[in-house]
Amino acid sequence: MFCYQCEQTAKGTGCDKLGVCGKKPEVSDLQDLLVYALTGLGQAAVAAKAEGKAVPLETGRFFAKALFTTLTNVNFDPADFKPWIEETVAKREALAAIIAAKLPEGPAAFRPAADLDGLVAQGAKHGLKDIPETDDDIRSLKHTLLFGLKGVAAYADHAAILGQEDPAVYEFLYEGLAATFSTDKDLGAWVALTLKCGEVNLRAMELLDAANTGAYGHPTPTVVPLSHKAGKAILVSGHDLKDLKDLLEQTAGKGISIYTHGEMLPAHGYPELKKYPHFYGHYGTAWQNQHKEFAAFPGAILMTTNCIQKPAESYLGSIFTTGLVGWPGATHVKNGDFGPVIAKALAMPGFAADEDKGTVMTGFARNAVLGVAGTVIEAVKAGKIRHFFLVAGCDGAKPGRNYYTEFVEKAPADTIVLTLACGKFRFFDKKLGDIGGIPRLLDMGQCNDAYSAIQVAVALAKAFDCGVNELPLSMILSWYEQKAVAILLTLLFLGIKNMRLGPSLPAFLTPNVLNFLVANYDIKPISTPEEDLKAILG
């Protein structure tokens, strides 16, 4: 195995014995083999398009789901990958049967082994280091594109679940993955293709925004209890709002309180979700604290998307996976039927008594923020708001992430902090006060809601008749996995400059690629909160 797709990769260079995330070598090899097989399907889809042959929309949905399974902290169950690989090859062969062109050797000619051990052995020969390339910088961009495509696939899948799709997104997933096995592009062409990934991701996030708001309404500012109340309980983690909605419907009237965990916190802001009286509050913090927080939860736990860690034995029997998530030994529920989860919750003790741990606010998505844009603009013109900080991104266990807590704590009282994704849990419960009735800490949602932040920035730039880079706005970003890579590529596509990124820079960027980002986008590693605030504010 070799994997360096996440920020916490071993020694800052790559995991080659066991994933820091808990991924075993055989799972890593199977995921690499699935990517290899998908590359062949992508080559077939590109050839079909060139001949004017239609690729079924269902193939695009499948492609996005399959690629999503290889994203960090999604599926750790080796048995799950055999059917994914076999279905990928079957769909490739179906396309090969309708095109005249002969597909190239390599991924498009791949034949899967008959058993799991054979597939693992094949996967060991088709990892990141085996993607054909002799130029280190181009290889870096190929890997960057691959990881960005995984992020796009995740957003596209979330959107498709709620009926929002654009065939152009699937077409680029085919094109981008197929391109990783080409050797006829120069460095400039690879930079362009990588930035195109950012453009396509913007479209995928737009679709997801339309999907979520169309199904559940636009989020509104909402006070969320961090407390719990006596009674049976289910904890929902991950990102998927439809799973939460289905669970709320199925638990109505059963005496079970539903709590969110991690990236599900912003779900409390959606009108069509918060109307359920048993949708009560938020429990715990970010994904990396599961072992402590899940072990103490006295009810059933449902993991809906990526973010699962190896469950401790103490709660393996009470954690359930759904959708693309998998862990060996954890019960997987299918087809939106959460009966087993509900039965487990009813059999467990639940909370013995009420406990008050305060509240936080969420629901400051684009409609909510732009609804008070006039007040914000006047406050800026009057000098009451000096600067905006978007402190956003993924959380993680690696040392150095306390930087984001200190940055927010030390941001001057005349500044506003916008935040989204699970990085907020470093400071989400801080009481920063307000400026003229506008809270100084505005939770805009999940990492999936980055589109909201972009739209707010674009609207403010229009109001002030300037470019986004001329706004009194600085982006202080933390990254962990491949959705963050896709978002970063979107920001680069939009020409956003002066971003600060941490806690460490991606291991897959060569010095030359990093220098390109510094020279063209003035992207910087974080330093200290004091130094960065001084550099930004003067």
Side-chain angles (χ1 to χ4, degrees):
M1 73 171 288
F2 176 76
C3 183
Y4 64 172
Q5 67 182 7
C6 85
E7 190 270 336
Q8 290 183 185
T9 194
K11 300 179 181 179
T13 56
C15 298
D16 56 9
K17 294 180 176 62
L18 179 71
V20 172
C21 64
K23 182 166 60 177
K24 292 183 178 180
E26 59 267 30
V27 173
S28 181
D29 292 339
L30 288 166
Q31 290 182 350
D32 286 342
L33 188 62
L34 177 54
V35 170
Y36 183 74
L38 286 169
T39 302
L41 175 54
Q43 291 173 329
V46 169
K49 180 183 177 182
E51 294 183 10
K53 304 289 177 59
V55 178
L57 197 61
E58 190 277 330
T59 299
R61 295 186 197 118
F62 170 87
F63 198 96
K65 285 182 179 296
L67 195 54
F68 190 2
T69 65
T70 71
L71 190 141
T72 300
N73 287 25
V74 177
N75 195 316
F76 295 81
D77 193 340
D80 286 352
F81 288 95
K82 187 173 185 291
W84 281 111
I85 292 167
E86 291 172 344
E87 181 67 15
T88 299
V89 173
K91 290 187 181 302
R92 184 197 75 205
E93 291 300 284
L95 287 179
I98 65 169
I99 59 178
K102 185 179 186 304
L103 294 174
E105 293 298 314
F110 163 67
R111 292 282 182 261
D115 59 20
L116 199 59
D117 288 342
L119 290 173
V120 171
Q122 287 179 319
K125 300 176 182 178
H126 295 298
L128 286 169
K129 292 182 177 180
D130 300 299
I131 294 174
E133 189 52 59
T134 58
D135 185 286
D136 288 345
D137 297 324
I138 292 179
R139 181 184 298 108
S140 173
L141 289 171
K142 284 187 175 184
H143 291 175
T144 301
L145 174 63
L146 170 59
F147 303 149
L149 290 170
K150 291 187 179 191
V152 175
Y155 293 133
D157 179 55
H158 282 302
I161 286 170
L162 293 174
Q164 289 285 339
E165 295 177 282
D166 183 345
V169 173
Y170 299 143
E171 288 174 6
F172 183 73
L173 291 178
Y174 304 143
E175 175 192 351
L177 204 52
T180 61
F181 266 69
S182 67
T183 55
D184 59 349
K185 295 178 177 60
D186 62 16
L187 193 61
W190 272 104
V191 169
L193 192 59
T194 306
L195 291 178
K196 184 178 177 182
C197 183
E199 179 183 11
V200 173
N201 187 58
L202 181 63
R203 175 59 178 153
M205 290 194 297
E206 180 184 25
L207 290 168
L208 180 55
D209 179 85
N212 286 339
T213 57
Y216 310 118
H218 284 276
T220 58
T222 303
V223 176
V224 183
L226 297 177
S227 53
H228 56 253
K229 58 183 179 179
K232 307 295 185 178
I234 295 175
L235 186 63
V236 184
S237 193
H239 301 77
D240 197 277
L241 299 183
K242 186 177 187 301
D243 286 332
L244 175 59
K245 177 67 158 55
D246 291 345
L247 181 66
L248 288 168
E249 290 179 348
Q250 293 172 38
T251 50
K254 295 185 182 296
I256 301 173
S257 294
I258 306 299
Y259 298 83
T260 54
H261 177 270
E263 285 266 54
M264 293 302 289
L265 168 61
H268 290 275
Y270 287 91
E272 290 301 308
L273 298 178
K274 66 181 181 179
K275 71 181 184 182
Y276 290 87
H278 62 300
F279 187 28
Y280 180 66
H282 186 79
Y283 175 93
T285 52
W287 67 270
Q288 76 276 5
N289 299 320
Q290 284 174 40
H291 284 166
K292 177 181 178 181
E293 294 171 354
F294 286 6
F297 189 76
I301 302 161
L302 177 65
M303 293 297 307
T304 65
T305 58
N306 60 307
C307 289
I308 194 171
Q309 284 186 303
K310 179 181 179 179
E313 287 297 325
S314 62
Y315 63 84
L316 180 59
S318 60
I319 190 170
F320 297 80
T321 61
T322 193
L324 301 178
V325 189
W327 190 279
T331 301
H332 189 78
V333 293
K334 298 180 179 180
N335 304 318
D337 179 5
F338 298 117
V341 185
I342 295 168
K344 184 66 178 180
L346 291 172
M348 293 183 72
F351 289 107
D354 296 352
E355 183 175 1
D356 187 358
K357 293 185 177 181
T359 62
V360 293
M361 288 195 73
T362 190
F364 293 98
R366 59 188 174 92
N367 264 30
V369 175
L370 294 178
V372 295
T375 304
V376 171
I377 292 165
E378 288 306 313
V380 172
K381 290 180 177 178
K384 295 178 181 178
I385 298 176
R386 181 174 23 156
H387 207 84
F388 297 89
F389 296 107
L390 177 64
V391 186
C394 316
D395 203 3
K398 192 173 181 179
R401 290 182 179 268
N402 59 315
Y403 163 94
Y404 298 94
T405 309
E406 295 177 15
F407 188 97
V408 169
E409 290 176 335
K410 293 174 180 177
D414 58 355
T415 62
I416 298 282
V417 176
L418 308 170
T419 190
L420 52 82
C422 65
K424 71 168 73 72
F425 290 110
R426 294 283 168 169
F427 49 81
F428 79 126
D429 55 353
K430 302 294 180 184
K431 305 304 179 185
L432 302 184
D434 65 88
I435 300 174
I438 302 169
R440 287 194 55 230
L441 180 60
L442 301 175
D443 178 8
M444 303 188 76
Q446 300 179 336
C447 64
N448 299 4
D449 297 309
Y451 182 78
S452 262
I454 291 169
Q455 293 307 305
V456 167
V458 169
L460 287 176
K462 184 176 180 180
F464 285 108
D465 193 24
C466 67
V468 171
N469 290 319
E470 283 70 55
L471 284 171
L473 168 67
S474 298
M475 297 190 181
I476 316 297
L477 307 177
S478 57
W479 81 284
Y480 176 72
E481 41 90 328
Q482 297 81 68
K483 286 185 287 184
V485 175
I487 292 171
L488 180 61
L489 295 179
T490 294
L491 295 173
L492 296 176
F493 161 73
L494 292 171
I496 306 297
K497 297 185 177 182
N498 300 309
M499 293 179 283
R500 283 170 166 78
L501 182 64
S504 60
L505 296 177
F508 48 84
L509 296 182
T510 61
N512 285 338
V513 173
L514 184 58
N515 288 339
F516 172 85
L517 295 176
V518 171
N520 289 274
Y521 298 96
D522 202 19
I523 195 168
K524 304 176 180 69
I526 59 172
S527 57
T528 68
E530 295 85 357
E531 290 173 355
D532 288 346
L533 282 166
K534 183 178 179 181
I536 293 167
L537 299 175

